[in-house]
Amino acid sequence: ADSVSIAFNVPSDLTERYTFKPGQYLTLRASVNGEDIRRSYSICSGTNDGELRVAIKRVDGGVFSTWATSEVKAGMEMQVMNPMGHFTPNNIDVKTHVVLYAAGSGITPMLSIAKSVLNENVDAEVSLVYGNRHFNGIIFRDEIEDLKDRNLGRLRVFHVLSGEPNDIPLFYGRIDSEKIAGFSKLFLPMDSVDEVFVCGPESMIKAVKDFYLSNGLAEENVHFELFGTSISKKPSSEGSNTPEFDANVTIILD
């Protein structure tokens, strides 16, 4: 399979430790070909779904994802860390309009956020701008449509496809500054937006952040999660050929 959805049967005495907030992730650990491997995957279930579930998409050359999509079967045991992450809504209990920008597998935490916000707050609205190459390759397409049907008027979904030309330019190509401005003008007016989430490549995150911050949305209401990055190198200060990297590293032990 190209992708797999895995639900974990959490032991009853650990229920409290595995209670999660929408948008959080799990770190999974497995021994693959004798190698100890850990990977983090966003939780895709809503907080009221009664389950703890992640989606794993196979990545070319990905050791863990290849193993998970071909070898993992029901009944197996896996080591799973507690839910973590701060990619979560601030104002889930008040009347709110949450706007989600996702590309490809970046939909996973967005699905949890959308389901949780809509289920827990009858006054909430969610708008999803979702970029993919082709309509047939959209992850969770049926689940998104079902969620939209159950929340008519409260969940709006806009598909932007880079591999399928559309008569309307806004829905064709990649989600960039021009498209974000277009969606804001036509469908998502600034004065209606309370929180924004973006999960995808670095260029898309920058475009979303720049647009909403420059248009007055408070920084604490613009949330982003990166699933791939290009590291910029700079020449070594000692003049050697060894590149130096600008990075902040946080190490959490145990």
Side-chain angles (χ1 to χ4, degrees), residues 43-72:
I43 298 165
C44 59
S45 36
T47 48
N48 293 328
D49 286 358
E51 66 175 11
L52 187 66
R53 183 181 290 273
V54 299
I56 300 176
K57 184 178 181 180
R58 183 178 295 195
V59 179
D60 288 342
V63 177
F64 193 99
S65 65
T66 300
W67 171 78
T69 51
S70 57
E71 303 293 330
V72 172

Side-chain angles (χ1 to χ4, degrees), residues 116-168:
S116 303
V117 168
L118 292 166
N119 287 339
E120 292 182 24
N121 184 349
V122 294
D123 294 323
E125 291 181 32
V126 175
S127 298
L128 169 64
V129 180
Y130 187 15
N132 284 278
R133 282 198 184 90
H134 300 284
F135 189 74
N136 288 339
I138 294 174
I139 309 170
F140 291 123
R141 189 180 73 198
D142 292 342
E143 194 161 349
I144 291 167
E145 290 303 315
D146 289 345
L147 191 62
K148 194 169 78 168
D149 290 343
R150 292 199 307 273
N151 295 278
L152 288 174
R154 295 206 299 137
L155 172 61
R156 294 184 294 175
V157 181
F158 307 98
H159 291 291
V160 181
L161 303 175
S162 62
E164 295 179 22
N166 192 301
D167 293 340
I168 305 168

Side-chain angles (χ1 to χ4, degrees), residues 232-246:
S232 56
K233 300 178 183 179
K234 65 173 185 176
S236 169
S237 55
E238 295 174 9
S240 72
N241 292 323
T242 309
E244 290 184 356
F245 298 96
D246 282 328

Side-chain angles (χ1 to χ4, degrees), residues 97-114:
H97 178 203
V98 178
V99 178
L100 312 173
Y101 288 89
S105 53
I107 189 62
T108 315
M110 303 304 198
L111 195 59
S112 177
I113 291 167

